[in-house]
C-alpha cells in the first residue's frame, strides 16, 4: 500500500513535469497541452497500455487528465464488444461521466455560491 | 502648430488645471497611495460586475476633478477618454453619466496621452475653454476579457504584467487670466503603429518597446530637442522587459541619457514585493501615475520638464488566436511646470 | 512585408530576447512535480478510502475518486485559492483532474454576472472545451480503429 502512495506521487509528479516542459520550453498553452495529454491517454488505452499503467501507479495514472482519454476509450470499447461498432458512440461517456459531470454540476453550484475574488 | 512630421507645439500653453485619480486594492498597497484621490479596497466596489466597477472608477475620477476645481459639468465642452474593455463601454457609460460631449478613444494603454494630446490641441486653438481627458483600466475586467477567468489556475510567465485598477482624469483649460504656476502641455508627438513581429501576449513590454523608441526619436527629430532638455522621460507601461529593451534601443540609436532619467509608470506604481511580475500595465497606468504622482512631484519642484510616452499594445484575444503579431503604438506629450501668463 | 522589414524584425527580436525575463524552467518543473505528485497522493488516499469504506474495487474506485477531486477543486477555486496554486505550480495544478475541474468551475463563477443561461451556460466550457472535444474525438477514432481491427483479426 505504501509503495502505491510512492509511485502515485512520483508518476503523477513526472507527468506534470512533462506538462511543465511543454508550457515553458515548447511554449504551448494549457489548452494545447491538456488536449495533447487526453489524446495520448486515449491512444495508450487503445494499444492496451493504460490499464497496466494504472495497476502500477494507481492515482498517479488516474488523476492526471490523461486518464480521461483512457476512460473514454474504455467505455467505447466495452460497449463495442457487446453491441458492435455503434457501441463506440454509445459507450463513451458511461465510464467517464464522473469527471465531466462532476465538473459541470460543481461548476453550476460554484456559480451560485461563489463570487470571483480577482 | 505642426512641427516636423508628426508633432504639435502648443504656443498657448494649455494648462492641466485639475486632476482626479482613483485606484483599487493593489494600488492602495503599492508605492504611490498618497497620490490617489480615492482608493477602493476591493475590486467590486459594491457593484454587480467588474465592468460596472470599472465604470465607477472613471465616473468618480471625473466627479473628483469637478469638485476640486469647483466647476460644473456644463462648463466643460468635451470629454476625451477611453479604456481597455470591448467597445470602451465603461468610459461610454461614464460619459452618459456626465453628459459632456464625448470623444471615445481607443489606443489601448496609450489612450491617456492620445487624449491629452488631442485635448491640448483643442484648447490651444480655442476649440474649447475646458476639456476633460483621461483613461482607465480594471484588473479583473481586463483579465476576463484578454486572458482567463480570474479564478483560473493558469501560470503567467515572468514577462507578464499586472493591469492596474484605476482611472486618471485631467482638466485641460486655457491659460488666459491664470496667475501662479501650473503644469501645462508644451508639445505632443503622435505615434505610428509599429510591429516587430512579436506574438506573445504575455510579453507586451517586449512588443511595445520599439513603438516607444520610434515616438521618442520622432519627438526629438521634430522638436530639435535632446534628452538633456527633459528632467524625466517616462513611458506608460513597458515594464521591466520593455524598459530594458527600449533603453538599449535608444542607446543604439544615439539617443543617450542616464538610466535614472528613463522611467516607466508600470514600474513606479507598485512595490517590488508585490506579485506583479514584470510591472503594472493598462490604460489607467500612465494616467494615474502622471495625473497623480508625477504632477505632484512637479508641483514639489522635483521635475520641471517631463516627457510622458504612453505605450499601447493593439492586440485582441481574437488576433492572438488567429496567429497575428502584436502591433503597438506610443504617443508622447511634453509637460512643463511654470507660469502660463 | 518587405525583406528589409523582416530583417529589421529579426534584429529587434534578437535584441529583445536578450532582455526577456527567462522562465525559470527547472524551478517550475520541481514545483510542478511536487504539487502534481501531492494531488495524486491525495487521490490515492481517497481511492483507498472508497475501496475500504464503500465497497468499491480498485477498478471502480476511480469514478468517485475523480468526482471527489473535482469537489475539492470547487472549494479551492471558490475560495480563491486555486489561482495562487496555479501560479506557483503551473502544470502541477493544470494536469491533474482538479485542473480540469478548476477550468470549468472558474469559468462558471466568472460569468455569473452575465446571468445563468447565457453567462454561465454560454461560457462554462471556455477553457475545458478543447479537452472535452479532443478527448471525445480521439477516443472515438481510437475505439473505431481498434474495434474494426479486432473484427478483422477475430472474425
Amino acid at each position: 500500500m505504501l509503495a502505491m502512495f510512492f509511485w502515485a506521487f512520483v508518476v503523477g509528479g513526472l507527468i506534470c513535469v512533462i506538462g511543465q516542459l511543454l508550457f515553458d520550453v515548447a511554449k504551448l498553452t494549457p489548452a494545447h497541452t491538456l488536449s495533447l495529454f487526453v489524446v495520448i491517454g486515449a491512444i495508450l488505452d487503445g494499444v492496451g497500455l493504460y490499464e497496466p499503467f494504472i495497476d502500477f501507479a494507481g492515482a498517479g495514472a488516474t488523476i492526471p487528465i490523461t486518464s480521461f482519454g483512457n476512460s473514454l476509450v474504455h467505455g467505447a470499447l466495452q460497449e463495442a464488444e457487446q453491441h458492435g461498432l455503434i457501441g463506440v458512440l454509445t459507450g463513451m461517456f458511461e465510464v467517464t461521466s464522473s469527471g465531466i459531470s462532476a465538473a459541470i454540476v460543481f461548476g453550476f453550484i460554484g456559480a451560485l455560491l461563489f463570487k470571483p475574488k480577482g | 502648430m505642426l512641427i516636423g512630421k508628426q508633432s504639435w507645439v502648443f504656443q498657448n500653453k494649455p494648462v492641466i488645471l485639475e486632476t482626479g485619480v482613483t485606484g483599487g486594492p493593489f494600488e492602495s498597497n503599492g508605492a504611490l497611495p498618497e497620490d490617489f484621490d480615492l482608493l477602493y479596497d476591493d475590486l467590486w466596489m459594491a457593484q454587480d460586475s467588474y465592468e460596472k466597477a470599472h465604470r465607477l472608477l472613471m465616473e468618480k475620477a471625473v466627479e473628483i476633478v469637478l469638485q476640486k476645481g469647483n466647476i460644473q459639468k456644463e462648463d466643460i465642452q468635451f470629454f476625451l477618454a477611453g479604456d481597455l474593455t470591448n467597445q470602451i463601454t465603461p468610459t461610454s457609460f461614464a460619459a452618459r453619466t456626465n453628459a459632456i460631449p464625448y470623444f471615445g478613444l481607443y489606443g489601448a494603454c496609450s489612450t491617456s496621452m492620445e487624449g491629452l494630446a488631442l485635448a491640448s490641441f483643442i484648447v490651444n486653438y480655442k476649440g474649447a475653454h475646458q476639456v476633460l481627458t483621461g483613461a482607465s483600466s480594471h484588473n479583473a475586467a481586463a483579465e476576463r476579457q484578454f486572458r482567463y477567468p480570474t479564478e483560473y489556475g493558469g501560470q503567467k510567465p515572468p514577462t507578464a504584467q499586472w493591469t492596474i485598477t484605476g482611472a486618471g482624469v485631467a482638466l485641460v483649460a486655457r491659460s488666459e487670466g491664470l496667475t501662479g504656476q501650473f503644469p501645462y502641455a508644451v508639445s505632443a508627438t503622435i505615434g505610428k503603429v509599429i510591429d516587430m513581429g512579436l506574438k506573445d501576449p504575455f510579453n507586451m513590454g517586449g512588443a511595445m518597446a520599439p513603438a516607444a523608441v520610434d515616438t521618442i526619436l520622432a519627438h526629438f527629430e521634430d522638436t530639435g530637442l535632446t534628452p538633456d532638455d527633459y528632467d524625466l522621460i517616462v513611458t506608460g507601461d513597458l515594464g521591466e522587459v520593455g524598459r530594458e529593451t527600449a533603453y538599449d534601443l535608444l542607446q543604439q540609436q544615439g539617443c543617450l541619457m542616464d538610466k535614472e532619467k528613463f522611467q516607466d509608470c508600470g514600474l513606479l506604481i507598485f512595490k517590488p514585493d508585490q506579485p506583479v511580475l514584470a510591472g503594472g500595465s493598462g490604460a489607467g497606468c500612465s494616467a494615474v501615475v502622471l495625473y497623480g504622482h508625477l504632477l505632484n512631484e512637479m508641483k514639489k519642484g522635483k521635475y520641471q520638464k517631463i516627457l510622458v510616452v504612453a505605450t499601447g499594445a493593439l492586440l485582441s484575444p481574437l488576433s492572438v488566436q488567429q496567429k497575428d503579431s502584436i502591433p503597438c503604438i506610443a504617443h508622447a506629450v511634453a509637460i512643463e511646470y511654470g507660469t502660463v501668463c | 512585408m518587405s525583406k528589409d522589414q523582416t530583417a529589421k524584425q529579426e534584429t529587434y527580436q534578437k535584441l529583445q530576447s536578450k532582455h526577456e525575463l527567462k522562465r525559470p524552467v527547472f524551478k517550475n518543473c520541481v514545483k510542478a512535480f511536487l504539487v502534481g505528485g501531492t494531488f495524486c497522493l491525495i487521490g490515492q488516499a481517497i481511492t483507498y478510502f472508497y475501496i475500504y469504506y464503500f465497497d468499491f474495487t480498485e477498478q471502480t474506485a476511480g469514478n468517485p475518486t475523480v468526482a471527489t477531486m473535482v469537489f475539492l477543486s470547487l472549494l479551492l477555486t471558490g475560495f480563491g485559492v486555486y489561482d495562487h496554486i496555479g501560479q506557483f505550480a503551473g502544470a502541477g495544478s493544470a494536469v491533474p483532474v482538479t485542473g480540469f475541474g478548476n477550468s470549468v468551475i472558474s469559468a462558471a463563477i466568472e460569468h455569473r454576472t452575465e446571468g445563468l443561461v447565457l453567462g454561465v451556460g454560454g461560457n462554462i466550457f471556455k477553457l475545458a472545451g478543447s479537452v472535452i472535444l479532443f478527448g471525445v474525438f480521439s477516443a472515438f477514432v481510437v475505439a473505431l480503429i481498434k474495434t474494426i481491427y479486432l473484427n478483422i483479426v477475430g472474425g
Side-chain angles (χ1 to χ4, degrees):
Chain A
M1 189 172 169
L2 225 51
M4 195 57 121
F5 277 111
F6 174 77
W7 286 117
F9 181 82
V10 169
V11 171
L14 284 176
I15 295 180
C16 292
V17 170
I18 297 174
Q20 189 68 42
L21 289 171
L22 290 174
F23 282 179
D24 284 342
V25 179
K27 304 271 171 92
L28 292 180
T29 67
H32 283 90
T33 305
L34 297 178
S35 303
L36 183 65
F37 274 19
V38 167
V39 172
I40 289 174
I43 295 174
L44 286 178
D45 194 44
V47 295
L49 288 176
Y50 212 89
E51 289 299 307
F53 185 44
I54 295 179
D55 290 334
F56 170 68
T62 56
I63 296 294
I65 200 79
T66 41
S67 75
F68 261 29
N70 166 62
S71 44
L72 286 165
V73 169
H74 233 64
L77 286 177
Q78 265 176 20
E79 273 301 286
E81 226 179 292
Q82 301 204 339
H83 297 121
L85 220 49
I86 196 67
V88 169
L89 278 176
T90 59
M92 240 194 284
F93 274 90
E94 276 191 35
V95 183
T96 267
S97 55
S98 68
I100 296 183
S101 327
I104 295 174
V105 168
F106 293 134
F108 191 67
I109 293 176
L112 294 175
L113 293 179
F114 294 107
K115 254 180 148 183
K117 310 251 172 326
Chain B
M1 189 170 74
L2 179 73
I3 43 167
K5 282 205 184 127
Q6 56 200 100
S7 303
W8 292 326
V9 78
F10 305 120
Q11 320 91 307
N12 296 323
K13 299 191 178 173
V15 164
I16 299 175
L17 204 53
E18 259 330 324
T19 59
V21 176
T22 55
F26 247 72
E27 294 68 34
S28 62
N29 289 323
L32 312 170
E34 324 78 45
D35 296 308
F36 284 82
D37 294 302
L38 175 63
L39 284 165
Y40 287 96
D41 54 12
D42 85 279
L43 290 172
W44 291 89
M45 302 168 202
Q47 301 297 301
D48 288 334
S49 73
Y50 290 137
E51 288 72 20
K52 293 188 166 70
H54 190 171
R55 176 195 315 180
L56 188 68
L57 280 171
M58 176 57 90
E59 284 177 1
K60 284 290 173 190
V62 170
E63 235 178 73
I64 291 168
V65 173
L66 298 177
Q67 246 170 30
K68 277 160 83 173
N70 208 358
I71 314 164
Q72 301 303 315
K73 303 201 283 245
E74 295 71 28
D75 297 324
I76 306 204
Q77 282 74 53
F78 301 109
F79 176 48
L80 289 84
D83 61 70
L84 293 179
T85 302
N86 282 334
Q87 290 82 51
I88 55 170
T89 39
T91 307
S92 301
F93 281 121
R96 178 184 66 180
T97 307
N98 65 38
I100 302 171
Y102 166 60
F103 287 99
L105 302 174
Y106 187 80
C109 312
S110 69
T111 306
S112 63
M113 291 305 103
E114 181 183 342
L116 185 60
L118 288 167
S120 305
F121 186 90
I122 293 174
V123 167
N124 187 67
Y125 288 103
K126 304 192 187 163
H129 303 294
Q130 295 180 121
V131 169
L132 275 182
T133 178
S136 69
S137 51
H138 187 291
N139 180 274
E143 282 300 308
R144 83 202 282 249
Q145 180 181 298
F146 284 96
R147 289 169 282 275
Y148 300 121
T150 51
E151 293 307 326
Y152 176 63
Q155 186 182 51
K156 295 203 187 133
T159 52
Q161 288 173 262
W162 182 270
T163 308
I164 74 120
T165 301
V169 176
L171 177 68
V172 179
R174 288 171 56 190
S175 55
E176 279 84 343
L178 288 176
T179 51
Q181 302 211 313
F182 296 93
Y184 58 92
V186 177
S187 62
T189 301
I190 308 301
K192 300 196 294 280
V193 174
I194 304 285
D195 186 341
M196 281 296 161
L198 275 90
K199 293 191 177 181
D200 184 2
F202 287 104
N203 179 14
M204 289 193 291
M208 292 190 293
V213 169
D214 188 79
T215 301
I216 292 174
L217 293 176
H219 178 80
F220 289 129
E221 169 96 29
D222 287 348
T223 56
L225 297 172
T226 71
D228 292 329
D229 293 299
Y230 290 106
D231 300 314
L232 180 72
I233 296 176
V234 59
T235 50
D237 58 357
L238 290 182
E240 229 177 284
V241 176
R243 177 173 176 250
E244 293 295 318
T245 312
Y247 187 71
D248 199 346
L249 266 181
L250 285 169
Q251 299 281 87
Q252 277 186 13
Q253 302 282 342
C255 185
L256 304 170
M257 67 186 101
D258 274 335
K259 203 130 183 237
E260 267 312 291
K261 193 185 270 201
F262 188 61
Q263 292 293 335
D264 179 72
C265 297
L267 293 172
L268 292 172
I269 192 170
F270 291 127
K271 291 204 209 126
D273 61 353
Q274 283 181 289
V276 292
L277 299 163
S281 71
C285 189
S286 49
V288 307
V289 175
L290 169 63
Y291 295 142
H293 177 69
L294 291 176
L295 288 186
N296 285 344
E297 295 292 282
M298 289 180 96
K299 288 180 192 148
K300 289 185 206 157
K302 182 159 182 202
Y303 308 117
Q304 216 238 325
K305 202 166 172 194
I306 67 174
L307 183 68
V308 185
V309 188
T311 48
L314 301 168
L315 77 174
S316 76
L318 209 62
S319 72
V320 171
Q321 283 173 2
Q322 292 181 353
K323 309 266 191 282
D324 273 319
S325 52
I326 303 174
C328 300
I329 196 167
H331 300 297
V333 178
I335 300 173
E336 205 167 309
Y337 189 77
T339 48
V340 292
C341 259
Chain C
M1 189 78 38
S2 66
K3 264 195 168 172
D4 190 40
Q5 177 70 329
T6 349
K8 264 199 207 154
Q9 287 189 343
E10 268 175 40
T11 321
Y12 173 69
Q13 285 170 23
K14 276 207 199 98
L15 178 103
Q16 197 275 140
S17 65
K18 262 198 311 171
H19 296 288
E20 192 175 313
L21 298 165
K22 297 284 176 277
R23 301 185 193 205
V25 183
F26 182 72
K27 247 170 81 180
N28 282 349
C29 285
V30 171
K31 293 191 275 185
F33 179 81
L34 293 174
V35 175
T38 306
F39 274 123
C40 292
L41 210 58
I42 296 173
Q44 189 64 60
I46 294 175
T47 304
Y48 280 137
F49 173 76
Y50 280 116
I51 292 176
Y52 290 125
Y53 289 104
F54 283 93
D55 254 352
F56 283 94
T57 68
E58 302 236 346
Q59 282 77 10
T60 58
N63 268 341
T65 303
V66 166
T68 313
M69 292 299 281
V70 174
F71 179 73
L72 179 67
S73 77
L74 168 65
L75 296 176
L76 293 172
T77 304
F79 288 114
V81 176
Y82 210 93
D83 54 348
H84 298 296
I85 298 176
Q87 180 61 35
F88 177 78
S93 67
V95 171
V97 74
T98 39
F100 176 79
N102 166 256
S103 65
V104 173
I105 296 166
S106 65
I109 292 177
E110 186 72 70
H111 289 278
R112 178 77 170 82
T113 49
E114 284 77 71
L116 289 174
V117 175
L118 295 176
V120 178
N123 287 290
I124 193 167
F125 292 116
K126 204 152 106 159
L127 296 164
S130 339
V131 172
I132 296 175
L133 173 69
F134 282 92
V136 171
F137 192 72
S138 63
F140 174 72
V141 170
V142 168
L144 200 65
I145 294 176
K146 180 132 189 210
T147 308
I148 295 175
Y149 169 78
L150 285 176
N151 276 340
I152 296 175
V153 169

